[in-house]
Amino acid sequence: MMITPVHRFRDIERTPEYLQPEKCVPPPSLASPGTMWFIRDGCGIACAVVTWMLVFYADFVVLLVMLVPSRDYVYSVINGTLFNTLAFLALASHFRAMLTDPGAVPKGNATKEFIESLQLKPGQVVYKCPKCCSIKPDRAHHCSVCKRCIRKMDHHCPWVNNCVGENNQKYFVLFTMYIALISLHALIMVGFHFLYCFEEDWTKCSSFSPPTTVILLILLCFEALLFLIFTSVMFGTQVHSICTDETGIEQLKKEERRWAKKTKWMNMKAVFGHPFSIAWLSPFATPDQGKADPYQYVV
């Protein structure tokens, strides 16, 4: 079998001499265990702020340009309630995805004492990350932005300013789903509003002037279409990744499967919790995922 660069890198990782535990010293603890998880990355913070601003812009156009001036109060109340509920759930999911520890491996734990505490069997080897000096579990990968090894890391997403990993994948999936839903809802309402304005006097279909109304609606239409496509693709990719129990990095690197294969239903329950309930759709419900011991360094 041809040995790819990935396999060669894995062989280096599996070499016991490569661990060099005497060179690893645990970094000083600068924060308490209960400190909130937050990545101080300028690009990620800017993307997260832009995400919230775009949602607020969409809400502004939907409410003040389309629904408030409408004469049909039932239509306005129903659509306004639905849109704002979905927008709230989208932002709440974004908030949880951004501020939840995605599954970071303790930094600097590749010490001689810690390796001895694992009580490895003869011939058993472990992975060591030379960048954050940590002994990492199987399926963990190092993120250069978070500067940590993340368990079951799928990818680093600047839009949530965080990695998508074992602990926050549910919130990221909900975020993409709710953004796709409000984008679709906004597109439908823009289409109906344009038809309404063409049939009625443009000065009566909005509180703004006709040119301003057209510009605001076109911008909303462009934003909604762009994010509908983007988040729908991301949602489908994430669901497929969960069902196959294979992260984006593992698919990209074509890593050999070294973990037990489970059914799609079991994989979904591992991310969203069990049993199936309305809590699957709630960004406030923390799933009881029944994770394996994060210190299982079996190879």
Side-chain angles (χ1 to χ4, degrees):
M1 182 180 73
M2 182 181 296
I3 302 298
T4 65
V6 172
H7 289 120
R8 284 198 292 270
F9 182 71
R10 287 297 183 189
D11 290 340
I12 292 174
E13 280 189 325
R14 290 164 186 254
T15 304
E17 292 78 13
Y18 182 67
L19 291 175
Q20 298 178 335
E22 66 279 358
K23 294 186 179 181
C24 283
V25 178
S29 180
L30 301 178
S32 61
T35 301
M36 180 178 63
W37 177 272
F38 182 75
I39 303 302
R40 294 175 177 84
D41 174 57
C43 177
I45 294 173
C47 289
V49 171
V50 168
T51 299
W52 281 62
M53 291 178 62
L54 289 174
V55 174
F56 286 141
Y57 170 77
D59 194 48
F60 165 78
V61 176
V62 167
L63 290 179
L64 299 184
V65 177
M66 292 189 287
L67 298 183
V68 171
S70 176
R71 299 174 183 175
D72 190 339
Y73 296 105
V74 175
Y75 171 85
S76 298
V77 170
I78 293 176
N79 283 280
T81 302
L82 177 60
F83 185 87
N84 280 277
T85 300
L86 294 175
F88 172 76
L89 291 172
L91 293 180
S93 300
H94 182 274
F95 189 80
R96 291 298 303 272
M98 180 171 58
L99 300 182
T100 299
D101 180 348
V105 177
K107 203 172 184 179
N109 65 357
T111 60
K112 183 179 180 180
E113 294 76 12
F114 184 77
I115 295 175
E116 290 176 351
S117 70
L118 296 176
Q119 298 180 344
L120 300 176
K121 300 176 182 178
Q124 185 179 4
V125 292
V126 293
Y127 294 158
K128 178 229 174 180
C129 177
K131 297 178 181 178
C132 59
C133 205
S134 65
I135 298 297
K136 57 184 182 180
D138 199 16
R139 304 187 70 183
H141 294 83
H142 184 84
C143 174
S144 58
V145 180
C146 297
K147 296 180 175 59
R148 298 287 291 273
C149 285
I150 308 297
R151 296 193 303 271
K152 290 187 67 176
M153 174 182 170
D154 187 87
H155 68 288
H156 184 91
C157 178
W159 293 105
V160 297
N161 189 36
N162 201 0
C163 275
V164 177
E166 184 178 66
N167 294 346
N168 68 342
Q169 189 173 26
K170 169 190 173 179
Y171 309 124
F172 182 75
V173 172
L174 292 180
F175 167 67
T176 58
M177 181 184 73
Y178 287 126
I179 289 293
L181 289 175
I182 65 173
S183 298
L184 178 61
H185 190 199
L187 278 175
I188 294 174
M189 284 192 291
V190 168
F192 278 115
H193 198 72
F194 266 122
L195 291 176
Y196 172 71
C197 290
F198 280 128
E199 294 177 355
E200 299 289 335
D201 188 352
W202 275 85
T203 58
K204 297 181 180 180
C205 72
S206 174
S207 303
F208 300 88
S209 64
T212 303
T213 300
V214 172
I215 292 175
L216 291 174
L217 290 177
I218 290 178
L219 289 176
L220 176 60
C221 186
F222 177 77
E223 174 195 343
L225 183 61
L226 179 65
F227 279 93
L228 173 61
I229 296 173
F230 177 72
T231 54
S232 295
V233 172
M234 284 300 301
F235 176 77
T237 302
Q238 287 295 303
V239 171
H240 177 266
S241 175
I242 294 171
C243 290
T244 59
D245 192 21
E246 192 174 21
T247 67
I249 291 181
E250 291 166 348
Q251 293 175 10
L252 184 64
K253 291 185 175 182
K254 297 181 179 180
E255 294 185 2
E256 180 183 356
R257 180 182 285 269
R258 301 182 300 275
W259 54 94
K261 190 173 182 180
K262 297 180 289 187
T263 64
K264 295 180 180 179
W265 182 244
M266 291 175 64
N267 293 331
M268 291 291 288
K269 289 194 296 183
V271 173
F272 292 94
H274 53 82
F276 175 77
S277 67
I278 194 66
W280 278 32
L281 303 177
S282 172
F284 303 102
T286 302
D288 179 16
Q289 297 169 314
K291 301 183 184 68
D293 184 354
Y295 297 102
Q296 290 298 320
Y297 302 94
V298 180
V299 179

